[in-house]
Amino acid sequence: MPVDESQSGRGRVTVFRMFGAVFGYATHSLDERNLGEVAVVGPLTPGVEWGRLWEMARAMCRASEGESEHARWIMAQANRSFTCGGDVVVKFPRGDWKLARGKRADLGGYCHRDHLWTGAMTVEEATPEQVAAYASTYQAVTSPTRLSDKGVSP
């Protein structure tokens, strides 16, 4: 579901690298119980559009899989970094994050999260060096063409 609104929060943020770009992962709660039932994931590298996450997921999942499997793949990558420390750049115990424009998906409890919110993300505490693009050994997307250049809506 495309979304054209902004969200923000303060809490634990994991900054991790994947396929040449840097992403942020935080959790958000929908009520005062503070359960963190929403996973918030987005690119932090300047110039990387939020749709790149979904493009990577499509490239890495089987062709027969749909958006729900793509959402789970995105969640798995963020959770892998948070839990196992894979490709972590930095962890902020109390980071300020903002998420604008994007896409939401239902996770149904996958990785202990009910919802996935993706979009253009910023983390106030992250430095330019921490979010800079890097040379990756592996590529999820064979073409650097942006989704919008292909006439595809993420």
Side-chain angles (χ1 to χ4, degrees), residues 50-89:
W50 65 265
R52 174 113 181 252
L53 268 172
W54 293 91
E55 189 173 72
M56 285 185 213
R58 280 191 293 276
M60 298 306 291
C61 292
R62 292 183 300 266
S64 62
E65 299 293 352
E67 284 198 3
S68 61
E69 184 62 27
H70 299 160
R72 287 190 291 273
W73 183 87
I74 292 168
M75 182 64 238
Q77 303 318 303
N79 190 62
R80 170 189 59 83
S81 292
F82 169 70
T83 304
C84 302
D87 295 313
V88 167
V89 175

Side-chain angles (χ1 to χ4, degrees), residues 90-149:
V90 63
K91 287 185 177 184
F92 298 109
R94 297 287 294 162
D96 290 307
W97 58 265
K98 292 181 184 171
L99 188 79
R101 302 173 315 280
K103 187 175 190 173
R104 294 184 182 176
D106 181 33
L107 291 171
Y110 185 75
C111 291
H112 306 287
R113 303 288 173 247
D114 293 326
H115 311 282
L116 171 67
W117 295 354
T118 61
M121 189 172 191
T122 58
V123 176
E124 188 174 304
E125 295 78 6
T127 66
E129 294 80 19
Q130 291 170 329
V131 301
Y134 68 98
S136 176
T137 303
Y138 304 101
Q139 298 295 315
V141 181
T142 57
S143 170
T145 305
R146 297 180 314 188
L147 290 174
S148 57
D149 292 343

